[in-house]
Amino acid sequence: MAYKSLAECVSDLEKHGHLLRIKEEVDPFLEMAAIHLRVYENKGPAILFENIKGSSFPALSNLFGTLERSKFIFKETLPKVQQLVSLRNDPMKALKNPFKYAGSAMSALSALPMKTPSAKSKFLKTSISKLPQIVNWPMDGGPFVTMPQVYTEDVEKPGVMNSNLGMYRIQLGGNDYIQDKEIGLHYQIHRGIGVHQSKANALGLPLKVSIFIGGPPSHPLAAVMPLPEGLSELTFAGALGDRRFRYFYDDEGFCVSADADFIITGTVYPNENKPEGPFGDHLGYYSLTHPFPLMKVHNVYHKKDAIWSFTVVGRPPQEDTSFGALIHEITGSAIPQEIHGLKEVHAVDAAGVHPLLFAIGSERYTPYLKDRKPQEILTIANHILGKNQLSLAKYVFIAAREDNEALSTHHIAEFLTHILERIDLTKDIHFYTNTTIDTLDYSGDGLNSGSKVVVAAAGNKKRLLSNVIPEELLLSKGFNNPHVAIPGILVLGCDQYQSPEKTAAEIALLNIALIDQDLSGFPLIIMADDAEFTANNIDNLVWVAFTRSNPAADIYGINDFTVNKHWGCKGSLIIDARKKPHHAPELIKDSTVERKIDRFEELKRSSNA
């Protein structure tokens, strides 16, 4: 069914056994998040908190907690929207088979936003402090909106069809914010809202911002969709929800979503910032306190029976993992259509999404060679690193489809095995130094600053990978407790990181120890604080290895060399994935809160369901 509101969706979920109601009073400081995490970890239902301490509004979380539930929510519209995205990437399909795609054209037409001035009468006013003040992690700087739809318009071309709808976290209080008058926005300058703010700044104008919370489930999903250029988020929300995006402008000229449960309006003035954060983020660490745009609050609107919507992010997998899976269901073919020669690309969720990217491309430049080498896939890798959010990738591993047509980027261990069997460590490591990385990634040498590396492998297998530690393995001082993570990857326990100089000395001694030993079956060595934890499973391996390392600073090699400014090694590649002093702290649950939520009988029933 097409949901007109979040309340309709909640009712439908409950009717079909997809909803858990928490009636007892819950503290928004850590308790709600702890309940959410426990239910999510047990693949439980969506959660409706009916009685929140300090607020009269109920709140919903874990709405998209499983791919199955997400598909249930969009069961009637998902195939149509998949067709619509497919047509956007290849319009010739409609010309070749007009009857097959006629429904998609109608979906696109019915998705056009609809202005509804009469909806103004549905809304009441409140204040920021009366909203649910949800704090998810112990070190968070204050309460945050974690499922917002942030709306802005182009000051040079105003109107809904030139708008941007994005999901950027909002800090409601704490730090230096004046309660009820100021809130903080966190976003990266290359996002749509950043483009709008840059234009407003250049003209010396304030940027009008509207923050929508709740509404039909298609609205928050549209806010996170990596849509093809020219496809409006509002249009997409209408098509996915089978209901035109309804809006009006309030008396101060702010756009208001007529179907949203809450709307916060305000202005961002040029060069006005305040400290925002810390915030427990999706890499599994805190993003720290930094200056980000300050929004001066004008109004806070809500419907009479409004439901607050939120989520909890942390070390993957989390609810945003299911978000990502649903997005892939819808747009899986979109990016390959935009990058010539690319078969598939996958941001690895277990590694925090942006730190690690797997890709498969065509290698057709020299088909007459008996053994292919990376050529075309290097061009593809460069294209990937210049594409929207893919540009945030820190490690890119790319393979040639001709070497294994059945290879998938979604099978982490198998993909890494394919790469490690074929990589030429003297030629196939390509660095990008002194560049940008994800703002949330603190492995680099400053905010949004670090390096990237492309690992490209093509051709026949070059080695047989080992899954047995050599009996006579001799390690230098400071290295211990070797473990095999997967065939070809050896994890070494190490002394605590001290400094770059100390690491250089450690690597030099390890080089001396290993240079004459046969480690040909282990082309990759990971240095870790806890080798057993890191090697325990593939998710731990990629999370530790790729979130705790900055390629240019933390990649070494046995018997390494530099020729014509190209770095390589004749022995194993080494990644120093130890925690460094400049890294952000990892997210750790509060044990007292964990014990407190044991009182909820609903959680026990949900876990046993």
Side-chain angles (χ1 to χ4, degrees):
M1 62 180 293
Y3 302 120
K4 296 179 181 178
S5 64
L6 184 57
E8 275 195 6
C9 178
V10 167
S11 177
D12 194 37
L13 290 174
E14 186 166 38
K15 179 180 176 182
H16 290 88
H18 296 301
L19 185 76
L20 170 68
R21 287 181 179 265
I22 303 289
K23 298 180 180 294
E24 184 179 336
E25 184 181 74
V26 182
D27 194 331
F29 182 76
L30 303 184
E31 275 196 4
M32 292 174 69
I35 290 169
H36 168 103
L37 290 171
R38 192 171 295 186
V39 172
Y40 175 81
E41 287 162 5
N42 287 287
K43 296 181 172 58
I47 314 162
L48 184 66
F49 297 89
E50 296 186 335
N51 189 357
I52 299 171
K53 184 178 179 180
S55 180
S56 61
F57 300 107
L60 180 76
S61 77
N62 205 33
L63 178 62
F64 302 101
T66 66
L67 180 58
E68 292 72 24
R69 183 157 61 253
S70 298
K71 286 184 174 182
F72 171 82
I73 291 170
F74 301 113
K75 52 188 174 293
E76 294 182 8
T77 59
L78 200 56
K80 295 177 183 177
V81 171
Q82 287 170 323
Q83 260 192 8
L84 194 62
V85 172
S86 174
L87 280 178
R88 183 64 182 80
N89 288 308
D90 186 3
M92 290 300 294
K93 288 181 179 179
L95 296 178
K96 294 174 182 175
N97 198 338
F99 295 106
K100 178 180 178 181
Y101 294 102
S104 294
M106 291 304 295
S107 295
L109 182 63
S110 65
L112 291 175
M114 175 188 293
K115 195 169 186 178
T116 54
S118 60
K120 286 184 182 181
S121 60
K122 296 180 182 179
F123 289 91
L124 306 171
K125 285 189 178 183
T126 186
S127 61
I128 295 292
S129 57
K130 292 181 181 179
L131 303 173
Q133 303 294 298
I134 301 171
V135 177
N136 287 346
W137 293 99
M139 290 173 56
D140 280 359
F144 284 83
V145 188
T146 54
M147 191 74 81
Q149 307 142 47
V150 183
Y151 175 96
T152 55
E153 295 182 7
D154 188 328
V155 293
E156 295 177 349
K157 295 181 291 183
V160 294
M161 295 311 292
N162 294 309
S163 66
N164 176 74
L165 191 70
M167 190 171 287
Y168 320 112
R169 74 177 189 240
I170 311 296
Q171 187 167 348
L172 292 177
N175 297 352
D176 297 328
Y177 298 118
I178 300 173
Q179 183 68 64
D180 293 323
K181 296 183 178 180
E182 297 176 344
I183 59 178
L185 306 183
H186 181 111
Y187 54 84
Q188 294 160 329
I189 198 67
H190 69 276
R191 301 294 185 93
I193 186 175
V195 174
H196 288 172
Q197 187 188 1
S198 295
K199 287 187 175 184
N201 288 354
L203 295 171
L205 298 173
L207 179 69
K208 289 188 172 183
V209 179
S210 300
I211 301 166
F212 312 142
I213 299 101
S218 59
H219 292 193
L221 184 59
V224 295
M225 284 293 295
L227 296 175
E229 191 67 30
L231 185 58
S232 161
E233 290 92 358
L234 304 190
T235 300
F236 182 85
L240 183 61
D242 196 21
R243 175 178 170 81
R244 296 175 68 178
F245 187 96
R246 287 156 166 77
Y247 71 98
F248 61 88
Y249 287 90
D250 71 4
D251 295 337
E252 298 179 6
F254 289 90
C255 185
V256 174
S257 167
D259 286 337
D261 288 71
F262 297 86
I263 301 94
I264 305 170
T265 64
T267 46
V268 176
Y269 285 84
N271 305 313
E272 285 200 11
N273 302 310
K274 276 196 175 182
E276 185 266 359
F279 177 75
D281 230 312
H282 71 262
L283 267 70
Y285 308 90
Y286 287 92
S287 56
L288 303 180
T289 303
H290 299 285
F292 274 94
L294 173 69
M295 176 172 155
K296 295 186 176 180
V297 177
H298 284 231
N299 287 293
V300 183
Y301 302 106
H302 70 92
K303 287 183 176 177
K304 183 179 179 182
D305 299 315
I307 300 173
W308 186 260
S309 180
F310 77 101
T311 188
V312 182
V313 293
R315 181 191 161 184
Q318 298 294 347
E319 184 178 0
D320 53 347
T321 302
S322 303
F323 246 142
L326 182 61
I327 289 170
H328 180 74
E329 289 275 331
I330 297 171
T331 66
S333 62
I335 295 296
Q337 288 283 344
E338 294 185 36
I339 300 178
H340 186 66
L342 180 64
K343 177 187 177 185
E344 62 177 88
V345 63
H346 174 53
V348 181
D349 182 73
V353 182
H354 294 143
L356 179 62
L357 204 68
F358 288 167
I360 299 173
S362 296
E363 191 55 81
R364 304 165 295 188
Y365 283 0
T366 50
Y368 50 84
L369 290 181
K370 291 182 179 180
D371 188 11
R372 275 180 294 276
K373 61 180 181 179
Q375 293 185 94
E376 185 178 4
I377 58 175
L378 289 175
T379 302
I380 294 169
N382 285 330
H383 200 158
I384 288 171
L385 288 174
K387 196 72 180 174
N388 300 331
Q389 291 194 53
L390 296 180
S391 66
L392 298 175
K394 188 169 59 175
Y395 285 84
V396 178
F397 286 70
I398 186 165
R401 67 180 297 177
E402 290 78 8
D403 294 329
N404 181 359
E405 291 285 350
L407 185 66
S408 170
T409 58
H410 291 268
H411 300 140
I412 301 174
E414 290 87 342
F415 189 86
L416 285 173
T417 295
H418 177 95
I419 293 285
L420 294 175
E421 287 175 336
R422 290 166 174 79
I423 189 171
D424 182 341
L425 293 170
T426 67
K427 299 177 180 178
D428 294 343
I429 314 295
H430 305 272
F431 288 97
Y432 301 70
T433 61
N434 295 322
T435 187
T436 56
I437 59 174
D438 188 0
T439 301
L440 309 179
D441 189 333
Y442 287 85
S443 65
D445 50 12
L447 182 66
N448 202 218
S449 179
S451 62
K452 303 176 186 295
V453 67
V454 170
V455 179
N460 299 326
K461 293 182 182 180
K462 295 176 175 61
R463 63 183 61 82
L464 182 65
L465 303 180
S466 177
N467 61 0
V468 178
I469 300 170
E471 290 184 10
E472 303 300 322
L473 179 65
L474 296 175
L475 299 173
S476 56
K477 183 180 178 181
F479 294 89
N480 55 69
N481 197 23
H483 281 70
V484 176
I486 62 172
I489 300 181
L490 183 66
V491 182
L492 300 180
C494 307
D495 288 347
Q496 186 177 4
Y497 178 92
Q498 294 183 29
S499 67
E501 294 77 18
K502 175 66 174 175
T503 300
E506 291 170 330
I507 294 294
L509 291 175
L510 185 65
N511 211 325
I512 293 170
L514 297 183
I515 196 166
D516 292 325
Q517 297 185 59
D518 182 10
L519 287 178
S520 58
F522 291 103
L524 180 57
I525 296 174
I526 305 296
M527 297 167 57
D529 297 296
D530 186 336
E532 184 175 356
F533 170 84
T534 303
N536 184 57
N537 58 62
I538 192 66
D539 286 355
N540 286 0
L541 174 71
V542 297
W543 183 62
V544 170
F546 301 110
T547 66
R548 296 180 182 174
S549 62
N550 173 24
D554 295 321
I555 287 181
Y556 302 89
I558 301 301
N559 198 5
D560 66 330
F561 62 89
T562 302
V563 175
N564 294 332
K565 301 181 179 63
H566 177 82
W567 181 92
C569 57
K570 297 176 182 177
S572 303
L573 188 74
I574 301 170
I575 298 177
D576 182 359
R578 291 176 293 178
K579 297 177 186 176
K580 319 305 193 290
H582 61 278
H583 288 184
E586 64 185 278
L587 303 180
I588 300 173
K589 295 178 181 179
D590 185 296
S591 57
T592 302
V593 173
E594 290 299 308
R595 289 191 296 272
K596 283 178 66 178
I597 67 170
D598 288 338
R599 72 184 188 272
F600 290 97
E601 291 296 325
E602 297 95 333
L603 297 187
K604 297 173 185 177
R605 291 195 296 271
S606 174
S607 298
N608 295 329

